[in-house]
Amino acid sequence: MNKRRIGLIRVVSYRGESRASLHGRLLERLYPELEVVTRCIPDQPKGIYDAETEALAVPKIISLGERMCREDRIEALIVSCAADPGVEGLRERVRLPVIGAGSSVACLALAFSDRVATMGITEGTPARMKALLGPCLVAEARPTGVTNTFELNTGAGKASAFAALRGLVAKGARVVALACTGFATLGVADEMTKQAGIPVLDPVVAAGLFAYAYIER
Amino acid sequence: MNKRRIGLIRVVSYRGESRASLHGRLLERLYPELEVVTRCIPDQPKGIYDAETEALAVPKIISLGERMCREDRIEALIVSCAADPGVEGLRERVRLPVIGAGSSVACLALAFSDRVATMGITEGTPARMKALLGPCLVAEARPTGVTNTFELNTGAGKASAFAALRGLVAKGARVVALACTGFATLGVADEMTKQAGIPVLDPVVAAGLFAYAYIER
């Protein structure tokens, strides 16, 4: 099979190749047509978890994205973060399609229902997701005790996320958009879907779907 | 390959099987995992092209959709019309995911850009698409002289659509959402993408993408 190459930006500065490329490998498994080149922004070992760390990351994401579009022979670029940091700026600067994980999962959710809930690790739903969901956003949750992607990836963090999920279903949500790409690292969307009885959508998988849709046209 | 079966409702009462199943066959070609069962609503040979014909169609779509969910052993249901007629009503009544072609193409467009244009055959963008696109809807067009799906499917109708496309690009659109499933019948989205230099998205293909995304989870 002739693989089609896309780029993926991690907004956490992982040191190890295997942790860094986890989202890319997930997409290569789901969409065998894709080959994913992963690069991390520098000097943010804890990633993006508030307005300050987001502001710090944006210029790094734009600079890295521009370089990847020039040098990595990619056909589309994913920014693997639910806040879509740098996506708007990159779209002004590069010709390739730039796909944000946050807007992707919001768009995927809206295709299935007009009663969408979000679950993330920041205070409230990321702004771009919130704007896209508009009046279709019926509930929001953050797992108790989780404030960054590493706290999510613990036994207590995971249990807390499943507890929060039950609350969203009770509030009338018909689909849940996970608003942190740390959920992809955990790989819990399918298990959550089974438990909740409604689709629980992963932002990295959603971004991969739209990259695949663009490439396959 | 173990095919996954989905349903597709045509809102035009075609007499011939081959015209009726054209959208379904298109999706089976694009997504070989899918098998598409097509059914047409009765007594609307000209389809939906204004508020009156839409109001007439909605109860027929709901009744047909409920029957298909009961009898056709499908896993998801597409309503193949850009106005999403009956989608809201069906979602209240059936447990399967109900996917509208109009909301699908709007959601797909939003994953790529916040400057979306629409091109359809009705006065203005269908209400559900317009609500989803919100401030991201930057331009709308209707091909001159085209008022229903059959007029689109002529030499003059097609030429008129390509002329309208140039106007949308000039107005700053970065992606075009085709707002009539008659464009799928014409099969012009790829040719339009080449000519416009920006993605031109077909509503039937978009609905198929989301059905595929749901099934493959």
Side-chain angles (χ1 to χ4, degrees):
Chain A
M1 183 170 19
N2 212 351
K3 298 264 186 185
R4 310 286 296 268
R5 191 199 289 249
I6 65 165
L8 185 146
I9 293 179
R10 297 297 307 265
V11 301
V12 180
S13 312
Y14 290 109
R15 281 164 164 254
E17 169 70 20
S18 81
R19 285 301 296 274
S21 65
L22 194 141
H23 293 178
R25 291 200 315 273
L26 166 66
L27 297 186
E28 289 175 342
R29 258 198 322 276
L30 287 173
Y31 308 100
E33 297 84 350
L34 300 181
E35 180 190 342
V36 183
V37 181
T38 301
R39 300 198 184 280
C40 300
I41 59 167
D43 307 322
Q44 286 199 224
K46 283 199 173 177
I48 293 177
Y49 49 91
D50 59 16
E52 198 181 331
T53 48
E54 184 178 337
L56 196 65
V58 166
K60 301 181 197 174
I61 293 166
I62 291 178
S63 156
L64 177 58
E66 285 189 286
R67 182 157 66 82
M68 290 175 78
C69 288
R70 267 196 321 270
E71 299 175 4
D72 284 336
R73 289 175 293 118
I74 55 175
E75 296 182 64
L77 178 64
I78 289 173
V79 177
S80 197
C81 174
D84 274 24
V87 168
E88 205 181 332
L90 273 170
R91 284 181 177 163
E92 297 299 324
R93 288 170 177 82
V94 304
R95 279 193 63 84
L96 298 183
V98 180
I99 297 162
S103 44
S104 291
V105 75
C107 292
L108 181 58
L110 287 170
F112 292 121
S113 179
D114 53 6
R115 283 192 247 163
V116 180
T118 60
M119 180 173 1
I121 59 167
T122 50
E123 188 62 47
T125 303
R128 185 72 196 120
M129 288 185 66
K130 198 165 185 164
L132 284 166
L133 292 170
C136 300
L137 178 61
V138 298
E140 305 169 277
R142 173 161 79 171
T144 314
V146 172
T147 56
N148 67 41
T149 184
F150 295 100
E151 287 167 1
L152 184 63
N153 204 1
T154 62
K158 197 177 157 183
S160 184
F162 275 85
L165 180 63
R166 286 187 287 277
L168 296 175
V169 175
K171 282 179 186 157
R174 294 290 176 89
V175 57
V176 176
L178 295 176
C180 171
T181 56
F183 288 106
T185 312
L186 270 179
V188 289
D190 289 349
E191 198 182 333
M192 284 183 156
T193 296
K194 272 188 205 116
Q195 192 164 116
I198 60 175
V200 178
L201 307 172
D202 184 282
V204 177
V205 175
L209 177 75
F210 292 117
Y212 166 79
Y214 182 83
I215 296 291
E216 285 301 289
R217 303 176 64 244
Chain B
M1 183 168 18
N2 213 349
K3 298 263 186 184
R4 309 287 295 268
R5 191 200 288 249
I6 65 165
L8 185 145
I9 293 179
R10 296 298 305 267
V11 302
V12 181
S13 311
Y14 290 109
R15 279 164 166 253
E17 168 71 21
S18 81
R19 285 302 295 276
S21 65
L22 196 140
H23 292 178
R25 291 200 314 272
L26 166 66
L27 296 186
E28 288 175 341
R29 261 200 318 279
L30 287 172
Y31 308 100
E33 296 84 350
L34 299 182
E35 179 190 342
V36 183
V37 181
T38 300
R39 300 199 184 279
C40 300
I41 59 167
D43 307 323
Q44 286 199 222
K46 285 199 171 179
I48 292 177
Y49 49 90
D50 60 15
E52 199 181 330
T53 48
E54 185 177 337
L56 198 63
V58 166
K60 301 181 198 174
I61 293 166
I62 292 178
S63 155
L64 177 58
E66 286 190 285
R67 182 158 65 82
M68 291 175 78
C69 289
R70 267 196 321 269
E71 299 176 4
D72 284 337
R73 288 175 294 120
I74 55 177
E75 296 183 65
L77 178 65
I78 289 173
V79 177
S80 197
C81 174
D84 275 24
V87 168
E88 205 181 334
L90 273 169
R91 284 180 177 163
E92 298 299 325
R93 286 170 178 82
V94 304
R95 279 193 63 86
L96 297 183
V98 180
I99 298 164
S103 43
S104 291
V105 74
C107 292
L108 182 57
L110 287 170
F112 293 120
S113 179
D114 52 6
R115 283 191 245 163
V116 180
T118 60
M119 180 172 1
I121 60 166
T122 50
E123 189 62 47
T125 303
R128 185 72 197 120
M129 288 185 65
K130 198 165 184 167
L132 284 166
L133 292 169
C136 299
L137 178 62
V138 298
E140 304 168 276
R142 172 161 80 171
T144 313
V146 173
T147 55
N148 67 41
T149 184
F150 295 99
E151 288 167 1
L152 183 64
N153 204 1
T154 63
K158 196 177 157 182
S160 186
F162 275 87
L165 181 63
R166 287 188 286 276
L168 295 176
V169 176
K171 282 179 186 157
R174 295 291 175 90
V175 57
V176 176
L178 295 176
C180 171
T181 56
F183 288 106
T185 311
L186 271 177
V188 289
D190 290 349
E191 198 183 332
M192 284 184 156
T193 296
K194 273 187 203 118
Q195 191 165 116
I198 59 174
V200 178
L201 307 172
D202 183 281
V204 178
V205 174
L209 176 75
F210 292 116
Y212 166 79
Y214 182 82
I215 296 290
E216 285 302 290
R217 302 178 64 243

